[in-house]
Amino acid sequence: MAFSIVSRGLLRTSREILERNMAATVGALQQTASPPPATAHMSTSHSDCHRLFLATGGHICGNNGAHNTHSLMWHQMPITVIQAVRQYSKKSAGAAKLRRELESDSDSDSDDEFERRRQKIDSKRSERGDSAFWRRKMRTLHRILDVNHDGVVSFDDFSLLAKRFNDLGHLTPEVAAEFNDVIKHTWEEQFGEITPYNLVTAEQFLTDLHHRLNDKKMAKRIGRFLPYLFKAVDFDHTGHLDLEQYKLFFRCLGLTEDDAAVSFAVIDKNGDGQLSLKEFVHLGRQFFLTEDDTKISKMFWGPLVADH
């Protein structure tokens, strides 16, 4: 767009300079020109006269009217002037063509910019969690949280899962109480009141987590329980989990040690055989947040369920 504006400005400036130079040339020739012999007369057309009139600001090629005072008939003009006027006409036509092309390019640029803006708006309107891959991950988590395997998730399932980690005996009473509070608040915030009748199906689970994912405040609180899971299996309190401790984590989730070995090999990206608390929480949260199927966090909760 900016290039088009600058180009049009340069074209206008060039035309004005050319017109001034032509007018000065014609003015000088008017003072020295003598009528050419009859054999030098050239046939003229109305369009030729009109171009001459435009090129000289109306001082040449007058017929009737106010311009006759200082007019010079076409047949009186030297051939050099006539050629110059026609050359000017060709340049003007070329400039007009170039201007039209530039304006066309400008329109094309405008269309491209419009399309880019439209795509940007559409991307803002689209929500996170719409991909089949993300839904597959959430169905995997629903299966894990369904501790009693009745096909739905209830607060009883949450409580049973928390009890498995607490019963390992590696959390202090204060930390264990905090863990239970976080589990309770997570359920209430995500699924509502705690009653025996509040049963969450897989589809409702996906809907609720989709809403949470697209709420900025709620998304920030996703995975608040993760540090407590880490501390519960960090029985030597080193601040790192090795493969054996990760297997313990998977046993509490109801998964096999073979699943743990496969997942640990994937998520231990630097190959040092350990996961820090920071890495553990990051991968656990990324499992909820990302729709990128190349991220290693997809293995955090074990193998994914089959595609539906």
Side-chain angles (χ1 to χ4, degrees), residues 182-193:
V182 168
I183 291 293
K184 178 176 179 291
H185 292 153
T186 298
W187 176 270
E188 291 175 331
E189 182 180 68
Q190 185 62 62
F191 305 112
E193 62 180 342

Side-chain angles (χ1 to χ4, degrees), residues 268-293:
D268 181 23
K269 192 173 182 179
N270 58 10
D272 64 354
Q274 293 185 326
L275 282 179
S276 67
L277 173 60
K278 183 178 179 180
E279 289 173 320
F280 184 89
V281 172
H282 170 72
L283 292 170
R285 277 179 50 80
Q286 191 180 72
F287 181 90
F288 290 96
L289 300 175
T290 186
E291 297 184 68
D292 186 349
D293 60 3

Side-chain angles (χ1 to χ4, degrees), residues 1-10 102 105-106 109:
M1 182 70 72
F3 174 77
S4 177
I5 293 172
V6 172
S7 299
R8 287 198 292 268
L10 290 174
L102 289 172
D105 291 342
S106 176
D109 291 342

Side-chain angles (χ1 to χ4, degrees), residues 143-216:
R143 181 197 62 185
I144 293 172
L145 295 177
D146 180 17
V147 177
N148 58 14
H149 305 294
D150 61 355
V152 293
V153 174
S154 65
F155 183 71
D156 285 344
D157 290 310
F158 266 44
S159 297
L160 286 172
L161 192 62
K163 187 175 184 299
R164 287 180 181 177
F165 285 94
N166 280 325
D167 287 350
L168 295 175
H170 304 138
L171 297 178
T172 65
E174 293 79 12
V175 174
E178 288 178 11
F179 180 33
N180 291 331
D181 284 341
V182 168
I183 291 293
K184 178 176 179 291
H185 292 153
T186 298
W187 176 270
E188 291 175 331
E189 182 180 68
Q190 185 62 62
F191 305 112
E193 62 180 342
I194 298 174
T195 72
Y197 309 103
N198 188 1
L199 307 175
V200 182
T201 64
E203 286 305 313
Q204 185 60 44
F205 185 77
L206 265 63
T207 299
D208 289 342
L209 283 178
H210 183 274
H211 170 70
R212 187 181 184 109
L213 183 66
N214 287 282
D215 185 299
K216 290 184 178 181

